[in-house]
Amino acid sequence: MFHLIVGISSFFSFLDIDAYIGVNIGTDLSDMPTPTEVVALLKAQRIRHVRLYDADQAMLLALAKTGIQVTVSVPNDQLLGIGQSNATAANWVARNIVAHVPAANITAIAVGSEVLTALPNAAPILVSALKFIDSALVASNLDDQIKVSTPHSSSIILDSFPPSQAFFNRSWDPVMVPLLKFLQSTGSYLMLNVYPYYDYMQSNGKIPLDYALFRPLPPNKEAVDANTLLHYTNVFDAVVDAAYFAMSYLNFTNIPIVVTESGWPSKGDSSEPDAIVDNANTYNSNLIKHVLNNTGTPKHPGIAVSTYIYELYNEDLRPGSDSEKNWGLFDANGIPVYTLHLTGADTVFANDTTNKTFCIAKRGADPKMLQAALDWACGPGKVDCSPLLMGHPCYEPNNVASHSTYAFNAYYQRMAKSPGTCDFKGVATITTSDPSHGSCIFPGSSRKNGTLINGTSLAPSSNDTSSARPPQSYGTGSFTTSVMIGVLLTGAVFL
C-alpha cells in the first residue's frame, strides 16, 4: 500500500501507477513443488509479482526470463553476519543478485523479517545490514532497479486506532529513525505485514468480523477517526494509515508503504472458529479487488496500494496451530483451496482453471507402477496412445514418467475429469499447470499454434533416466475398476 499524510500528495507523484497483487512463496511443504512447477502455476494464474523468503538459486533460475518481478530475502539467520560485515553483504549480493540479473527480474530485497519483534537482539545491526546490501548494489549499478527494505510486523505500531494517534513503539526509535532516513534517502518503501485476522482474533469481540473481512458496513457501523473525521470501513486501511501517521510522528512524510504479507487462514483448530474457507475466500477476494481498484485508504484515496498475499501454497510442515498451515491459495498440487470471487478483476489469477486441470504422473513414483498404469491406460483404458509412438509428437522425452503423464491425462480428460479418474493406484495426481511441451499438445490444453498459454512445461525432462518400454508394447496390464477409486476433489477452483 502506498498512502501518506495530508498536504503531501506531491511527494507521491512516482506512485501514480497501477497497484499490483503479489504472492509469498513458502517452503514448509512435505511435497514441495519443483521451481519449474511453481513458475508454471504463477504463469497460469497471471501472477507477475512474487516474494521469496530467501534467494533460492533454483527458484531464481526458474524465474529467469519470465518477466515476473521478484522480491528476494535475506533470512533472519544470515542477518547478523551481513549486518556486521560489508564484505559479507557484498558476497551475498554477488552470489544471490548479480549472478541472476538481468535474467531474473529482481526488484527488491527484504532484509530479515519482522526483526524488531522476532529477533530483537539483531535490531542494533539491522540498519547496517540494509546499508551494506545497498552499498553492494550501488557498486554493481543496481541500486536504481532494486530497492532495499525490511518487513515489519504491524505490532510495532502502538495505539493504532484512531490512526491519527498511532505511533511506533518508542523503544525502537533508535532503530526506526535511522531506518526511515535510509528508506527516504534511497527512495525505498516501508515494508509492513498486515493481518486483520490477528487483529480480529485479539480484539476480544471489539472488532466486528465484517470489518476485518472488507464486507460492506452501514454508515453507522463504520469506524470514525474523531481527529480527522475519516471513515474506515475495514481493518486493513486503518492499519496502513496508522503506519503513515506513525511515520509522520517522527517527521517522515514521504515514504510509501508496501504490504509484504496479508491473508486469512482457511482452516484452524477448535480455538479458531473463524479460520474457515468462506472467510479466507471473502478476505482475499475483497483484498485483491480493493488493491486492483486503486482504492487507496481514507487518508490517501486513489494512491496505488500494492500487496503480497500470504501465501501461494498451504504449508503442512509449518509448526504451530492448524491455521499456521492453511494460509495458501493452492495445495501442493496446484489445486486452488477455494474459488476466489474476482469478477471484473481478471488481470490476476486465471478465471478458468475449473476447466483446466490435468492428470500427471507423481514425482518419484515407482517406474514399475507407472509402466503398469501406462499399459492399462493404453490398453483396457482405451486411450489413444499413438502420439507416444516413435516419430510422433509426444515420443520425446522417451521415459516412463513422460509417457505415463500423457496417457494418464488422456484418460482423465476422456472420462470428463470424473472423481477417481486420476489415481492409477496412487501414482497420478492432478495439477492446474498444462503439461504440454514442444509440439506435444495434451488433451484439455488451450495451447494453439505451438504456444503454451500456461507457460512452462511440466513434462519430465529428457534427463530422466527411467526408461519406458517401446510405446507399441502396451500390454494388457492388471488394472481393474479400482482405477475409478481415487481422491474426490472437494477443493474448489478458480472460475
Side-chain angles (χ1 to χ4, degrees), residues 275-476:
I276 58 174
V277 165
D278 184 61
N279 288 343
N281 189 347
T282 298
Y283 180 81
N284 282 324
S285 296
N286 287 338
L287 172 64
I288 292 168
K289 288 184 283 189
H290 184 69
V291 170
L292 296 183
N293 288 342
N294 287 339
T295 305
T297 64
K299 189 78 171 103
H300 295 286
I303 293 180
V305 176
S306 295
T307 301
Y308 290 82
I309 293 177
Y310 184 82
E311 59 187 334
L312 187 61
Y313 295 108
N314 278 337
E315 296 186 90
D316 61 329
L317 296 182
R318 192 170 180 83
S321 64
D322 283 351
S323 66
E324 288 295 321
K325 310 174 194 299
N326 289 281
W327 290 81
L329 299 174
F330 297 86
D331 67 17
N333 293 317
I335 301 300
V337 177
Y338 45 81
T339 306
L340 284 171
H341 305 309
L342 295 178
T343 303
D346 61 353
T347 56
V348 65
F349 296 110
N351 60 6
D352 57 0
T353 54
T354 296
N355 296 316
K356 285 187 180 178
T357 55
F358 304 87
C359 184
I360 62 174
K362 281 187 177 179
R363 295 188 306 276
D366 184 340
K368 292 182 179 179
M369 291 284 289
L370 289 175
Q371 185 65 61
L374 171 64
D375 291 344
W376 184 91
C378 296
K382 300 181 180 180
V383 167
D384 176 11
C385 291
S386 60
L388 299 176
L389 297 172
M390 183 177 294
H392 288 237
C394 300
Y395 175 72
E396 295 290 350
N398 180 24
N399 58 66
V400 70
S402 178
H403 288 184
S404 296
T405 287
Y406 181 88
F408 293 173
N409 180 68
Y411 181 81
Y412 174 66
Q413 302 292 336
R414 189 171 71 82
M415 299 302 291
K417 308 177 187 177
S418 300
T421 58
C422 181
D423 180 57
F424 293 89
K425 289 191 174 179
V427 296
T429 189
I430 291 172
T431 180
T432 57
S433 298
D434 191 337
S436 300
H437 55 97
S439 59
C440 178
I441 301 174
F442 277 48
S445 173
S446 296
R447 178 177 167 173
K448 297 178 181 178
N449 299 324
T451 301
L452 184 56
I453 290 179
N454 282 357
T456 309
S457 166
L458 295 187
S461 72
S462 57
N463 295 326
D464 192 321
T465 57
S466 55
S467 60
R469 287 188 212 155
Q472 295 92 331
S473 303
Y474 301 126
T476 58

Side-chain angles (χ1 to χ4, degrees), residues 11 66 89 96 119 145 187-188 315 334 402 430 466 490:
F11 284 107
T66 63
N96 297 296
L119 193 66
Q145 171 188 336
S188 190
E315 296 186 90
S402 178
I430 291 172
S466 55
T490 56

Side-chain angles (χ1 to χ4, degrees), residues 113-118 150-158 168 172 176 190-195 198-199 202 239 243 260-261:
S113 179
E114 300 189 346
V115 173
L116 300 187
T117 49
T150 183
H152 295 285
S153 166
S154 61
S155 65
I156 67 169
I157 305 168
L158 302 183
F168 294 122
W172 292 122
M176 290 303 299
L190 185 75
M191 292 179 169
L192 188 68
N193 297 340
V194 179
Y195 284 105
Y198 290 124
D199 293 324
Q202 296 164 9
V239 173
T260 37
E261 293 180 18

